[in-house]
Amino acid sequence: MKFLHCADLHIGRRLMQVSLIEDQKYILRQILDIAKRHDVDALIIAGDVYDKNSPSEEAFSLWDWFLVELANHQLETIVISGNHDSNDRLGVGKRLLERTNIHVITHLTSTINPITIANVDFYPIPFIKPVYVANVYEDFKSSNYQEAYQFVLDRLELKNDRKNVMIGHQFFVSGSSEPEIAQSETGLTLGGLDAINTTILETFDYVALGHIHRPQRIGSDTIRYSGSILKYAFEEAQQRKSVNLVTVDDTVVYDQIPLKPFRDVRVIKGPIDELIKIGETETSQDYIHAIITDETVVHNAITRLQRVYPNTLTLEVQNQLSTHNGSLQRAEEVVSKKPLELVHDFFEQQTGRDLNDAEQHLVVSILDEIGDVS
């Protein structure tokens, strides 16, 4: 059998306040076309259907359109919720959708029954936190992500006479190797606290993951992040978006099918006159982050660029003066801060939260011991 694996639709996402709904509809049509062209048996969507917990009306409408198209194509589909999704909102109408073979799994339950398609068992596990597991299983007491996920997997009853595929949406690592993420995704992790080692996934024939926007394997060729369906930040400009076409027979093989966007997300760099000259030959509608390198002041730069690149969204100046001033400013900021402030900043970058009272007291004690100024 064959299935398509995608994830991180992020319907409703905006790029620098510009709506991407039209771009998303274009790429969802493309996924339907790929499914039809390759005659797949199923479509797997591994979480983050929506970009926000409270989706906009246009986001709801696009997802509604896509569900109708899936039903019209009679394409069996499995969807799990991701960390961006509201389980309740995504789960609206899921019992009715079951009648059209669209399976939407949004909540962890005490029994995870496989969805069997053409003799392959799919085990869908929506995004979970340890507290979600504790709410379902009274005997689970840990706050550790690895232990929580292991606890859930231990309760699955895999059948040896079938191929077993897991669908998940978490931050997985392979030993000390972490997945490659863009700078725009640094908020995904909790300083390593939410990391789960792929060793617990080795019993599955294929693992279809969502959560990370760059398509990649993690730990094994058959444990894969499909990546997001579009470039959702300029930091992702060099990424190549795709869906995974997975063929399950005696062995499991996959192929990455490229996705071609309606408008690309690009970074262009050079003197402004050169960029304009290139733009006049391209007539590009792509979303552009422009970096101009002129050493002299350029007046009305973004207006001039938008004449040939209408969707120029951001502008940056990189020259000797800006590099010097930027480095000097960063150095002055660091030098001016006290040790405790630097620890605060580092801790917040790694964990996404402030030090609590106990942690701050410990840091102050250590700084006192080494005779530093706090």
Side-chain angles (χ1 to χ4, degrees), residues 49-170:
V49 168
Y50 291 119
D51 188 57
K52 292 184 178 179
N53 200 271
S54 298
S56 64
E57 182 179 347
E58 64 176 4
F60 270 124
S61 296
L62 181 54
W63 178 238
D64 178 70
W65 168 85
F66 190 55
L67 290 173
V68 172
E69 290 297 307
L70 290 170
N72 289 340
H73 283 69
Q74 298 182 333
L75 180 58
E76 191 150 9
T77 303
I78 304 174
V79 183
I80 65 167
S81 55
N83 58 302
H84 279 248
D85 295 311
S86 161
N87 292 341
D88 293 332
R89 291 185 176 92
L90 183 60
V92 170
K94 62 183 180 180
R95 285 185 293 178
L96 187 61
L97 289 170
E98 288 276 355
R99 299 181 186 179
T100 59
N101 286 325
I102 298 174
H103 314 273
V104 182
I105 292 82
T106 56
H107 290 79
L108 180 67
T109 56
S110 57
T111 302
I112 299 176
N113 295 314
I115 297 167
T116 303
I117 305 173
N119 207 38
V120 174
D121 282 350
F122 291 86
Y123 290 87
I125 303 177
F127 174 74
I128 61 173
K129 296 180 180 180
V131 66
Y132 299 173
V133 181
N135 288 339
V136 173
Y137 301 98
E138 291 184 0
D139 52 337
F140 180 76
K141 305 298 181 184
S142 174
S143 60
N144 179 279
Y145 275 78
Q146 175 93 18
E147 293 174 4
Y149 220 83
Q150 183 71 70
F151 193 91
V152 172
L153 294 185
D154 286 345
R155 277 143 189 80
L156 303 182
E157 298 180 2
L158 306 188
K159 297 180 177 64
N160 294 328
D161 61 338
R162 291 182 181 173
K163 295 294 184 184
N164 297 291
V165 175
M166 196 203 87
I167 308 167
H169 190 97
Q170 305 286 154

Side-chain angles (χ1 to χ4, degrees), residues 325-346:
N325 289 343
S327 300
L328 183 61
Q329 182 179 0
R330 286 191 295 272
E332 288 175 345
E333 287 175 355
V334 172
V335 169
S336 67
K337 289 188 176 183
K338 296 180 179 179
L340 183 57
E341 291 178 302
L342 294 172
V343 173
H344 265 290
D345 290 347
F346 178 76

Side-chain angles (χ1 to χ4, degrees), residues 2 29 53 79 170 182 202 230 234 256 312 356:
K2 292 184 290 187
R29 281 189 192 277
N53 200 271
V79 183
Q170 305 286 154
E202 292 173 353
L230 287 170
F234 287 112
Q256 289 179 293
T312 301
N356 61 36

Side-chain angles (χ1 to χ4, degrees), residues 1-4 35 38-43 74-77 117-118 246:
M1 68 94 69
K2 292 184 290 187
F3 65 89
L4 279 186
H38 290 276
D39 192 26
V40 302
D41 299 284
L43 172 67
Q74 298 182 333
L75 180 58
E76 191 150 9
T77 303
I117 305 173
V246 184

Side-chain angles (χ1 to χ4, degrees), residues 3-7 43-47 78 80 122-125 149 164-170 172 201 204-211 216 218 222-227 244 246:
F3 65 89
L4 279 186
H5 162 210
C6 67
L43 172 67
I44 306 302
I45 302 176
I78 304 174
I80 65 167
F122 291 86
Y123 290 87
I125 303 177
Y149 220 83
N164 297 291
V165 175
M166 196 203 87
I167 308 167
H169 190 97
Q170 305 286 154
F172 282 97
L201 305 176
F204 294 97
D205 297 287
Y206 184 84
V207 180
L209 295 176
H211 198 39
Q216 61 194 285
I218 181 71
T222 54
I223 303 175
R224 306 200 69 86
Y225 286 104
S226 64
N244 290 336
V246 184

